[in-house]
Amino acid sequence: RSNSSVDILPSAVDYGCEVFTFGKADHCALGVPQFATSGRREKRGDITFCGGTTGGRVADSNDSTSYKPKRVEAFSLGDMRRSWTSATTQGSIDDAEVDSPAVAVAAATFHTLVLNRNGRLFTFGLGKGGRLGTGDESHRPLPTRIMGPLTKRVVASIAAAENHSLCSTADGAVFAWGSNRFGQLGMPSSQGQHSSKLSPRRVEDLKHSFVVAVAAGDRHSIALTKLGEVYAWGDNRSAQ
């Protein structure tokens, strides 16, 4: 799992996709039920890990690893979940529910972001520091929609880093959340430069630019505008 960013490809929008995950499940970042039980809460340092149980005993490190891709059921197609016909997406879907198939995924060390065809953004993983954008620091082992200022917006591109996340919307705005220790959220000191943001906040310095894609590194962020301009902010000690 590595820092990543993805924007919607036209071919993906045509049909949508399922989501499969694999790897270590200690960080709740797989979004799969068998690794999302509350039986395991092991604390290492200041990070709480979650995993599954086996026969009444706490699962060991091998038990909490998926070596083969596992389907994230919330985004399953056909008999596994729903067929995503127009009849299933009109009026009966709650604002917080998955209402269309996935078109983009961004994965980082402790969490995962999934964007669906209708522009709703979902997250699962470790919540410490606000990297999930759900408004609190609770872990989310299963996909949870990111609401707040994104509730009525259509998300267009996404990016996930170890401790923060980014997205751009169809109207060209950029939102960031999670750790701002290195200024990677693009917020001035008057708004608490070194504090975490538990919900998406707009990057105000880009409000006059139409952003079409974003990318995130461990300590910095990048935005690409419709005019081909590239903006960067965050830690620059390695000239990133």
Side-chain angles (χ1 to χ4, degrees):
R1 301 175 65 84
S2 61
N3 299 335
S4 61
S5 63
V6 183
D7 56 291
I8 299 177
L9 300 177
S11 58
V13 176
D14 290 341
Y15 57 86
C17 309
E18 294 186 312
V19 176
F20 289 79
T21 59
F22 45 92
K24 294 288 290 182
D26 281 345
H27 302 153
C28 312
L30 295 188
V32 179
Q34 56 263 47
F35 297 117
T37 65
S38 59
R40 183 180 180 189
R41 285 293 183 270
E42 178 183 351
K43 196 165 187 178
R44 304 175 192 169
D46 61 348
I47 297 178
T48 300
F49 293 76
C50 64
T53 59
T54 305
R57 64 182 177 83
V58 177
D60 59 25
S61 60
N62 292 328
D63 292 325
S64 61
T65 299
S66 174
Y67 295 101
K68 296 182 179 180
K70 301 288 186 181
R71 179 186 281 108
V72 179
E73 295 178 6
F75 301 97
S76 295
L77 303 177
D79 293 339
M80 288 295 297
R81 175 71 175 179
R82 54 178 71 130
S83 62
W84 302 119
T85 62
S86 58
T88 63
T89 58
Q90 293 179 352
S92 61
I93 303 298
D94 184 84
D95 281 346
E97 293 183 6
V98 177
D99 63 342
S100 62
V103 295
V105 175
T109 305
F110 300 118
H111 72 300
T112 303
L113 300 176
V114 179
L115 177 62
N116 74 2
R117 189 169 60 194
N118 287 345
R120 293 185 176 188
L121 182 56
F122 295 83
T123 185
F124 44 94
L126 193 71
K128 183 177 176 61
R131 60 173 64 86
L132 299 184
T134 54
D136 56 41
E137 295 186 276
S138 299
H139 306 328
R140 297 294 198 280
L142 298 176
T144 301
R145 188 183 177 195
I146 300 176
M147 306 286 275
L150 301 183
T151 303
K152 301 300 182 181
R153 278 185 159 91
V154 175
V155 176
S157 69
I158 57 177
E162 182 172 342
N163 294 310
H164 77 291
S165 303
L166 297 169
C167 76
S168 69
T169 58
D171 58 356
V174 176
F175 291 84
W177 57 95
S179 172
N180 196 39
R181 181 178 180 184
F182 302 97
Q184 62 265 52
L185 300 189
M187 298 176 187
S189 57
S190 61
Q191 297 181 25
Q193 184 177 4
H194 302 298
S195 62
S196 296
K197 301 301 178 185
L198 306 184
S199 299
R201 298 289 185 92
R202 185 168 185 176
V203 180
E204 293 294 336
D205 284 350
L206 293 175
K207 64 182 179 181
H208 298 301
S209 300
F210 194 105
V211 173
V212 295
V214 291
D218 282 345
R219 299 179 177 183
H220 73 292
S221 303
I222 303 282
L224 172 67
T225 73
K226 189 176 181 178
L227 298 178
E229 300 166 326
V230 176
Y231 290 87
W233 60 96
D235 187 10
N236 196 36
R237 284 178 288 184
S238 298
Q240 60 265 57

